[in-house]
Amino acid sequence: MTTQLSPALAAGAASPVDSIETKRPKGRGRTFRPRNVWTRVALNSIAAIVIACSVFPVYWMVNMSFTPPQKIISREPAFFPVEFTWKNYVTAWTREAAPGQTDFVHGLGASIGVALAVVVVCALFAFLASIALARFAFKGRWVFIISVLIVQMVPGEAMMYTTFNMLDSWQLVNTLFGLFLVHLASVVPFTIWTLRGFVAGVPADLEEAAQIDGCTKAQAFWKVTFPLLAPGLVSTGIFAFIQSWNEFTMALLLLQGYNLTLPPWLNSFQSATEATNWGAVMAGSTLIALPVVIFFLFVQGRMVGGLVSGAVKG
Amino acid sequence: MTATLPSATATSGSTKADRPGRRGGRRFPWAPWLLLTPSVVLLAVMVGYPTIKMIVTSFTDEAIRNKMLGTAPNFVGFDNYLEIFTQSDFPAVLARSIALMVILTALITAGGMLLALLMRRLSKGWRTAVSISLLLAWAMPPLAATVVFGWMFDTKYGVANYILNVLTRSNDWTDHQWLYNPFSFFMVLILIVTWQGIPFAAFTFYAGLGQVPDEVLEASQLDGAGGFQRFRFIVMPYLSSVVTAVLVLETIWNLRIFTQVYALQQRGGLVSETNVLPTYIFRQGMGEFGVTAAIGVIMLILLMALSYFNVRRTLKEEAL
């Protein structure tokens, strides 16, 4: 359920693109730029190959999405969208995935609805829990922390049918609310864990100082601590959104007909056997990938850190 | 950048601020539990209960008919486990899953390390370009990525066959079926997962490499250590905790892979020859819940055993 990005995301150091440069302490990890011209040429060529390999599939998707269908079904693929067209997007946007199944627009609505609900509720739940963990000393704190770590690792795939039956007994199969519950439970542990780090990172002394200056405890929290937590809430929120947006297994199992979210929509759309319209499938894929790519660029600075912050220090 | 503050504090936070004082605890001893209630209830109902239910079900003969007729299932002991290990293709699926996990983890970790080392040696412009292109691969939703790769390796119109034909100056690759043959099915699958997985490993190792002090490297260079020796004896000790972290996470993720396998099977793979644990469970369908639950329990045990290292590592590093 939780796919490739999970615990890595959110919270923490190291932007792969820029902030590493500015933040690195002096004398550590300076890049070793080889002086020999030929070595540099060789390294740059390898870099160029790496760039080409990483970008090509994404480029191919976009390229195909702008190529007219009759040109896609061709023995000599067009490497550039010479006969540029928006038609695939129109098709993807309006046509049902398969007869009796949802179209893109409704899938989009369902996906956004579920993901936003997950983001809001998850942020609230995890925020409360992380305050309890970071600001209070109480019996059972340890037990809860370890439970969160363990729960985070429970594979949802293993018990998909148990979950299915449970939701079925509550009449929640084939409802977006059921899917929302599943997604929520899968992102909350990680979000608690990450936010706890953020809350702990804001020194309680700051709040006390505000209280000495005449704030009430609640005011001190809302005016001092909360604004400092905003970046943490944003990046965990984006993480939760991406998780829910990409989640495929349970959406495939739980949803049918006109209730599909985008991943099962794309799955039906691509496997509609007779004459799959590949241009439209690629247009659909592009549209699904777009928000995630944008979000990734937003939080890229915080993406690696979560994991690294624990492992690298010292 | 907004990223700096929380990152700096989150990293160093565990020393002082992480040990909560008594504040707040005195007047409202129940306050922390009140704050935890929503999460505890949610996780107990959505994770705790199904886990226990699955373990219980795995010892019964519960099937769809119990649901239809409303009858209670019978307790059958370890029969389900015996059945899956002796009378089904489960052992093959398990072996395939583990083999796939090992290969993917090895490729992603090694590839990520090589890329991180490369990025350290590039000029700023090149490094930014590489970073952005890796970010693009990382950001692709797994299903969309699989759909695109599936089309690139399409039998008739795939660009892969076209390029191979051009490169080999032949027509050998015309109508080559990549997905029908389980071996090349897994090659394509490994390509997809590695393509998406390497960026995370590369970025993590890249950040880790930044922690290796220059002086030590220079000193070792003066002492005559070659490139490989420097990597093995100077860089690796600094990186070992990061490498362990990535290895553990990749192991877990690669064992849980569902989307890519399922979507590629949809494009024409032989399901019986290409199933891995999650797709195998999925394809058990609504028949015998007892047997499916037993498979789930095995997968749970396997992942919990792997997660043990992750939990221990996290607790140790957070020094709670």
Side-chain angles (χ1 to χ4, degrees):
Chain A
M1 219 176 278
T2 341
T3 40
Q4 293 284 326
L5 6 128
S6 59
L9 242 149
S15 147
V17 179
D18 50 35
S19 65
I20 284 176
E21 306 304 322
T22 54
K23 270 192 337 225
R24 194 187 303 129
K26 267 186 191 150
R28 279 186 152 204
R30 226 181 334 111
T31 47
F32 304 100
R33 218 160 297 152
R35 287 176 202 119
N36 186 322
V37 179
W38 289 112
T39 325
R40 216 180 309 156
V41 169
L43 287 175
N44 288 350
S45 336
I46 300 174
I49 294 170
V50 168
I51 293 172
C53 291
S54 329
V55 171
F56 184 77
V58 182
Y59 169 75
W60 200 244
M61 172 179 81
V62 179
N63 174 28
M64 287 285 139
S65 76
F66 288 120
T67 309
Q70 67 277 13
K71 198 85 176 101
I72 291 180
I73 308 289
S74 131
R75 289 282 180 179
E76 288 198 7
F79 281 83
F80 305 96
V82 196
E83 296 168 38
F84 186 90
T85 174
W86 286 102
K87 233 178 161 178
N88 295 325
Y89 284 87
V90 178
T91 315
W93 192 263
T94 51
R95 216 173 64 180
E96 292 187 342
Q101 281 182 331
T102 194
D103 55 276
F104 185 87
V105 185
H106 288 88
L108 182 70
S111 270
I112 290 181
V114 172
L116 282 185
V118 167
V119 167
V120 171
V121 179
C122 170
L124 183 71
F125 280 24
F127 179 63
L128 296 177
S130 62
I131 287 174
L133 291 182
R135 283 284 190 264
F136 291 90
F138 58 98
K139 262 187 200 163
R141 181 169 169 269
W142 258 98
V143 178
F144 185 80
I145 288 179
I146 294 176
S147 315
V148 165
L149 280 176
I150 293 173
V151 163
Q152 193 185 320
M153 291 300 163
V154 171
E157 299 87 349
M159 44 195 175
M160 53 177 103
Y161 283 105
T162 318
T163 310
F164 181 92
N165 282 336
M166 184 176 77
L167 291 172
D168 193 29
S169 65
W170 300 338
Q171 317 289 325
L172 286 179
V173 164
N174 201 14
T175 63
L176 294 178
F177 184 69
L179 187 69
F180 155 78
L181 283 180
V182 172
H183 287 184
L184 185 65
S186 75
V187 291
V188 155
F190 173 73
T191 314
I192 294 179
W193 184 247
T194 312
L195 274 182
R196 183 204 60 90
F198 277 95
V199 178
V202 178
D205 303 351
L206 272 182
E207 262 178 64
E208 278 174 7
Q211 276 174 278
I212 289 168
D213 289 344
C215 283
T216 65
K217 193 170 171 56
Q219 275 179 326
F221 184 81
W222 282 112
K223 293 194 170 162
V224 177
T225 310
F226 190 74
L228 290 173
L229 292 180
L233 282 171
V234 170
S235 49
T236 48
I238 289 179
F239 163 78
F241 189 94
I242 295 177
Q243 283 297 319
S244 170
W245 183 266
N246 282 351
E247 201 279 328
F248 177 54
T249 319
M250 289 310 281
L252 182 67
L253 189 63
L254 288 174
L255 304 177
Q256 290 163 10
Y258 288 101
N259 274 332
L260 301 186
T261 52
L262 287 178
W265 170 85
L266 180 61
N267 179 55
S268 300
F269 200 43
Q270 76 138 352
S271 43
T273 41
E274 355 74 66
T276 300
N277 183 338
W278 281 99
V281 170
M282 292 300 148
S285 304
T286 311
L287 290 172
I288 292 174
L290 206 59
V292 188
V293 171
I294 291 170
F295 278 144
F296 258 68
L297 290 173
F298 257 111
V299 288
Q300 47 106 344
R302 271 154 265 168
M303 253 169 326
V304 189
L307 180 133
V308 181
S309 63
V312 172
K313 72 180 162 205
Chain B
M1 233 188 123
T2 41
T4 3
L5 175 89
S7 62
T9 45
T11 319
S12 57
S14 49
T15 47
K16 180 169 167 251
D18 204 48
R19 245 174 273 131
R22 299 276 309 143
R23 49 177 88 81
R26 236 167 275 157
R27 262 186 302 165
F28 310 107
W30 36 263
W33 287 109
L34 200 66
L35 294 170
L36 289 179
T37 308
S39 307
V40 170
V41 171
L42 174 78
L43 296 177
V45 173
M46 293 303 298
V47 183
Y49 173 74
T51 311
I52 294 165
K53 181 88 200 313
M54 177 174 72
I55 296 171
V56 172
T57 310
S58 75
F59 293 109
T60 68
D61 64 352
E62 186 171 336
I64 193 80
R65 73 187 124 77
N66 298 97
K67 219 165 143 181
M68 299 294 199
L69 304 171
T71 53
N74 303 309
F75 181 77
V76 294
F78 281 91
D79 282 7
N80 291 330
Y81 292 91
L82 270 177
E83 189 189 322
I84 57 171
F85 273 108
T86 54
Q87 291 164 38
S88 74
D89 46 0
F90 173 75
V93 172
L94 185 66
R96 196 179 297 135
S97 266
I98 293 176
L100 185 67
M101 171 196 84
V102 170
I103 295 172
L104 285 173
T105 308
L107 283 177
I108 289 174
T109 316
M113 182 61 83
L114 287 176
L115 263 184
L117 289 169
L118 173 73
M119 276 159 74
R120 279 268 157 224
R121 279 162 184 74
L122 292 174
S123 62
K124 186 155 191 220
W126 275 101
R127 186 163 56 239
T128 311
V130 171
S131 298
I132 290 173
S133 67
L134 289 180
L135 207 64
L136 213 56
W138 191 13
M140 278 285 279
L143 181 63
T146 314
V147 168
V148 176
F149 272 88
W151 178 244
M152 282 165 55
F153 285 93
D154 186 76
T155 305
K156 270 190 173 160
Y157 308 113
V159 69
N161 286 347
Y162 175 79
I163 290 177
L164 283 168
N165 266 342
V166 171
L167 286 181
T168 56
R169 292 163 186 275
S170 67
N171 279 324
D172 297 352
W173 297 93
T174 305
D175 290 343
H176 182 80
Q177 294 192 325
W178 289 91
L179 301 180
Y180 185 72
N181 177 336
F183 181 74
S184 58
F185 176 94
F186 278 106
M187 283 197 352
V188 176
L189 181 75
I190 287 169
L191 188 67
I192 300 173
V193 181
T194 329
W195 177 76
Q196 288 217 282
I198 280 184
F200 164 72
F203 289 144
T204 311
F205 291 148
Y206 177 79
L209 285 172
Q211 304 292 318
V212 182
D214 278 359
E215 309 87 65
V216 183
L217 277 175
E218 274 160 26
S220 67
Q221 203 165 6
L222 290 176
D223 289 344
F228 180 75
Q229 282 179 313
R230 260 177 297 160
F231 178 75
R232 172 69 190 79
F233 296 109
I234 314 284
V235 176
M236 270 317 274
Y238 276 96
L239 275 187
S240 61
S241 60
V242 185
V243 174
T244 320
V246 171
L247 275 176
V248 171
L249 287 174
E250 290 295 343
T251 323
I252 294 170
W253 292 338
N254 291 331
L255 200 58
R256 293 176 63 174
I257 230 161
F258 173 87
T259 307
Q260 291 93 331
V261 182
Y262 180 84
L264 266 195
Q265 287 177 341
Q266 296 283 94
R267 293 284 310 128
L270 282 176
V271 171
S272 59
E273 300 290 320
T274 54
N275 264 338
V276 292
L277 277 175
T279 57
Y280 188 65
I281 293 176
F282 184 87
R283 299 206 187 268
Q284 291 292 309
M286 296 286 169
E288 302 180 324
F289 292 119
V291 176
T292 314
I295 300 167
V297 170
I298 306 252
M299 187 178 163
L300 181 73
I301 293 172
L302 206 60
L303 275 156
M304 282 295 130
L306 291 171
S307 308
Y308 170 76
F309 296 103
N310 194 40
V311 172
R312 212 181 54 172
R313 181 188 63 81
T314 317
L315 288 175
K316 213 160 64 186
E317 262 141 28
E318 294 285 326
L320 285 160

